[in-house]
Amino acid sequence: MSTRALRTPDSCFADLPGYSFTPNYRDVEADGMDPVRMHYLDEGPADGPVALLLHGQPTWSYLYRKVVPVLAGRGIRVIAPDNIGFGRSDKPARNTDYTFARHIEWTRSLVTGLDLRDITLVAQDWGGPIGFSVLAAETDRFARVVAANTILHTADPALADRLGFAVNGVGESRVLLEEALVDYLLYTQRAEELRASDFIAATASTPPDSDVLAAYDAPFPDPSFTAGLRQMTALLPLTRNDVGARIGRRTMRALEQFERPFLTAYSDGDPATRGWETIFQERVPGAAGQPHVQIAGGHFLQEDAGAKLGKIVADFIART
């Protein structure tokens, strides 16, 4: 069956505040799907070290608009893609077109298609599970990692009492889940309409201006464009048996062998990812001895402190 994908009109992205970057596109592939077009930013010197900035749900590369100029100004080539289903990337029309494995494959296809090397992965939200899994498959391409308000879905019982949002197996056949996480998942599946801006406004330390919130909604001019937005939350692994948790455990095993520099830069106001910075510091060899930082802000720390995050990443690249 051929893939039917929607493409948000370019007019939706006209005159967005703080986002005047040149769009770039590349066809990417995933198993069982026709090629689809992925949008990405490519800023800074072409021969500079690469920073790969990955976003999650419900955002797109607009989230990194304050980070990109800082990195490019320090001689770093910045690649910031929009996940398929988000931003200026194609949006397959069926919810079931989106799987965790395909999100990984689509991003890996971009990385290999552009032949990116000497990569500094900067991962937030779903950018972590996706990006870490690409790293596990293409380890030699990655020089270092900055983990910023992200997690790795495993539902491991060893995570009990260690996370801000509980998601862990209990005994042989039970699971402990944070009530707020379940409420969030159910809302995204039951709500008649989803608006990305609602989630940004609810978690930002300082509510963004209305034109900024409108920019987060720009990729989704009507509900027909939101299949990927809705489905990504449904892909959250809540049990050890979920295919996403199996992917997460495999990826964690790869990270446990990753000896290149690994820095955590988490905010002080994000219960959804709290605790994961410590897990990564303990389990990733490359995290040992790094000057891990905490940044004032909410879940979308790029919105609250984008320039500061950009400086942290640039200094990390220069230092290591």
Side-chain angles (χ1 to χ4, degrees), residues 14 17 48 63 94 143:
L63 177 69
R94 296 175 301 184

Side-chain angles (χ1 to χ4, degrees), residues 132-147:
F132 297 150
S133 297
V134 175
L135 180 152
E138 302 283 346
T139 305
D140 289 346
R141 295 181 181 273
F142 289 83
R144 60 189 68 77
V145 173
V146 177

Side-chain angles (χ1 to χ4, degrees), residues 14-26:
D15 301 321
L16 300 184
Y19 191 86
S20 57
F21 309 109
T22 301
N24 300 271
Y25 300 96
R26 188 174 185 90

Side-chain angles (χ1 to χ4, degrees), residues 47-68:
D47 60 349
V50 175
L52 177 64
L53 313 184
L54 299 185
H55 72 89
Q57 198 269 0
T59 59
W60 57 293
S61 56
Y62 186 77
L63 177 69
Y64 283 103
R65 71 193 182 281
K66 302 175 188 177
V67 179
V68 172

Side-chain angles (χ1 to χ4, degrees), residues 5 18 33 43 45 57 62 92 95 118 129 153 193 197 200 265-266 277 290 315:
M33 299 282 287
E43 298 287 325
Q57 198 269 0
Y62 186 77
N95 291 32
D118 190 26
H153 312 295
E193 180 182 4
S197 60
I200 306 298
Y266 280 58
E277 71 276 35
Q290 297 296 336
D315 289 348

Side-chain angles (χ1 to χ4, degrees), residues 116-195:
L116 301 179
R117 299 181 183 276
D118 190 26
I119 299 169
T120 299
L121 172 63
V122 181
Q124 187 262 348
D125 196 88
W126 273 94
I130 294 169
F132 297 150
S133 297
V134 175
L135 180 152
E138 302 283 346
T139 305
D140 289 346
R141 295 181 181 273
F142 289 83
R144 60 189 68 77
V145 173
V146 177
N149 285 4
T150 191
I151 67 176
L152 189 57
H153 312 295
T154 64
D156 188 342
L159 298 174
D161 300 321
R162 302 207 60 191
L163 304 178
F165 270 26
V167 185
N168 61 269
V170 178
E172 294 296 322
S173 60
R174 294 186 177 183
V175 63
L176 180 66
L177 300 175
E178 193 74 17
E179 186 174 44
L181 177 63
V182 178
D183 289 340
Y184 165 63
L185 190 153
L186 293 177
Y187 173 78
T188 63
Q189 302 311 297
R190 296 174 178 176
E192 184 174 346
E193 180 182 4
L194 286 184
R195 294 192 307 177

